[in-house]
Amino acid sequence: QVQLVESGGGLVQAGGSLRLSCAASGRTFSWYAMGWFRQAPGKEREFVAARGWRGGSTYYADSVKGRFTISRDNAKNTVYLQMNSLKPEDTAVYYCAADPSGTATIRNEEYRYWGQGTQVTVSS
């Protein structure tokens, strides 16, 4: 069982930056692929970024490519999402997720464990 706890969300003006963190329990964190997803009001949950175990393959949604960076610190059991040049359309609840297969994927159904989410609001 893996528990994920996100933090770092908040209110920021357009053009600003935030760094989300996701702390994971469990000694096998380094074996898991980690992903970030988001869900805006009235919309379906969508993929944002993913990184394989030991920092392998990395994927980004086209909408965030060049602005967001996913990274992980296996020693701290933590994955990060650095978000720069934020836009109002980035407003959503952001979730981190863990996939025991270790292979990064954009498919949310592949992720077994999910955090509770953290709200990101970008004002114009």
Side-chain angles (χ1 to χ4, degrees):
Q1 185 75 15
V2 174
Q3 291 186 327
L4 305 172
V5 179
E6 301 98 334
S7 61
L11 173 64
V12 64
Q13 288 187 332
S17 298
L18 282 175
R19 188 176 80 155
L20 305 183
S21 299
C22 174
S25 64
R27 292 176 292 178
T28 58
F29 171 78
S30 62
W31 301 353
Y32 289 68
M34 299 299 296
W36 285 96
F37 293 78
R38 67 186 181 187
Q39 187 167 19
K43 295 187 177 181
E44 293 186 352
R45 187 174 298 184
E46 65 174 3
F47 167 76
V48 175
R51 188 159 183 144
W53 78 293
R54 289 192 176 183
S57 300
T58 304
Y59 301 106
Y60 294 96
D62 288 342
S63 58
V64 307
K65 204 170 291 184
R67 300 187 298 122
F68 290 12
T69 302
I70 185 172
S71 62
R72 61 190 298 166
D73 186 337
N74 290 335
K76 295 182 178 180
N77 279 15
T78 302
V79 63
Y80 304 97
L81 185 68
Q82 178 67 44
M83 306 186 294
N84 299 328
S85 302
L86 282 161
K87 305 175 182 180
E89 50 264 44
D90 295 318
T91 295
V93 177
Y94 283 72
Y95 300 89
C96 72
D99 174 9
S101 77
T103 301
T105 176
I106 68 172
R107 295 163 55 89
N108 61 6
E109 58 267 32
E110 300 292 329
Y111 290 86
R112 183 181 301 178
Y113 305 105
W114 292 82
Q116 82 289 349
T118 185
Q119 176 70 47
V120 171
T121 303
V122 184
S123 63
S124 57

